[in-house]
Amino acid sequence: MKSVLSLLAAAAVANAHFTMQYIWDNGVDEGLNNFIRIPPSNNPVTDVTSTDLTCNVNGLTGSSVSTLSIAAGTTITFEWHQHAQRTGEDAISGGHKGPVLVYVAKAPSTAASFDGQGAVWTKIYQSGLLNSTTWATDVVNANNGKHSVTIPASLLAGEYLLRAEIIALHVAESYPGAQFYIGCAQVKITGGGSANPTKIALPGAYKPTDPGITINIYNNLQSYTPPGGAVWSG
């Protein structure tokens, strides 16, 4: 049985879903939905075995999406909102508590034709439970929906998918319960190095029994480990 707190949380954030809507390249706003594979709605993914976990619903191709050229070592900022508006409401509902993660995957040819399947994803960022009451999602919300990552300078040049993910754990006591909000952007990295980082599959690496996926966050939680393994240092 779900706890009273989790039931109240579910009621409080009903329909308060969100999507990734902007990316920024070294502080330059690239515009609404540009270079992003846009899902049909702001609903989350809840099945960790579904190919929707890769780049959200209808996200296995980006043939209609442009690809942004960026330099290796640049700072990319991802920006999320409940609706297509930057003011008038929280960027993401304050009831959505959980980690923020970023992965990269090198396309064998073009980012637009890349479906992101198989062991191709490298985690380059994660932030989870910062203290007993503050989650990475709280920081994103306080920053008007934004979080940033530095693209490792040692990555090979070429075309990539950047996969940002927010996992909301407010109803994650049983599976399926955790809500996976996923946004994929298409980029072409110039410069770079010769690194061959560790890779995982998405779907594949996440399991329903992972303690970072099925968890009661209202039970005096003192620590949290996000799914997907360690961050590659670059």
Side-chain angles (χ1 to χ4, degrees), residues 20-43:
M20 190 176 84
Q21 299 181 11
Y22 299 84
I23 61 171
W24 300 61
D25 177 15
N26 268 346
V28 177
D29 181 354
E30 297 294 343
L32 176 64
N33 289 332
N34 288 333
F35 312 107
I36 296 169
R37 296 185 178 182
I38 305 166
S41 76
N42 64 359
N43 291 330

Side-chain angles (χ1 to χ4, degrees), residues 18-23 36-37 39 43-57 76-81 92 96-104 121-129 135-141 145-149 161-169 175 177-185 200-207 210 212-213 224-231:
F18 51 93
T19 57
M20 190 176 84
Q21 299 181 11
Y22 299 84
I23 61 171
I36 296 169
R37 296 185 178 182
N43 291 330
V45 176
T46 57
D47 180 359
V48 298
T49 69
S50 169
T51 55
D52 292 343
L53 191 72
T54 307
C55 282
N56 215 322
V57 177
I76 295 293
T77 300
F78 305 95
E79 183 178 343
W80 306 74
H81 292 284
I92 62 176
H96 288 82
K97 306 292 187 181
V100 177
L101 309 94
V102 180
Y103 296 85
V104 299
W121 294 98
T122 296
K123 186 189 287 186
I124 60 171
Y125 174 86
Q126 70 179 17
S127 181
L129 183 64
W135 286 87
T137 46
D138 296 316
V139 177
V140 171
N141 215 19
K146 301 182 188 73
H147 62 96
S148 299
V149 63
L161 293 177
L162 302 182
R163 179 185 180 275
E165 177 180 41
I166 293 175
I167 307 176
L169 301 171
Y175 178 87
Q179 298 178 352
F180 299 84
Y181 295 90
I182 303 148
C184 283
I200 64 170
L202 295 167
Y206 291 7
K207 307 299 182 187
D210 285 347
I213 290 176
Y224 172 81
T225 302
V231 174

Side-chain angles (χ1 to χ4, degrees), residues 142-157:
N143 199 32
N144 299 315
K146 301 182 188 73
H147 62 96
S148 299
V149 63
T150 299
I151 303 302
S154 59
L155 284 175
L156 288 167

Side-chain angles (χ1 to χ4, degrees), residues 61-130:
T61 180
S63 58
S64 62
V65 179
S66 298
T67 298
L68 175 67
S69 182
I70 64 173
T74 195
T75 296
I76 295 293
T77 300
F78 305 95
E79 183 178 343
W80 306 74
H81 292 284
Q82 295 185 54
H83 305 100
Q85 61 190 68
R86 281 173 153 167
T87 60
E89 63 183 359
D90 285 346
I92 62 176
S93 169
H96 288 82
K97 306 292 187 181
V100 177
L101 309 94
V102 180
Y103 296 85
V104 299
K106 190 176 188 303
S109 56
T110 66
S113 63
F114 186 31
D115 65 6
Q117 299 306 288
V120 296
W121 294 98
T122 296
K123 186 189 287 186
I124 60 171
Y125 174 86
Q126 70 179 17
S127 181
L129 183 64
L130 305 180

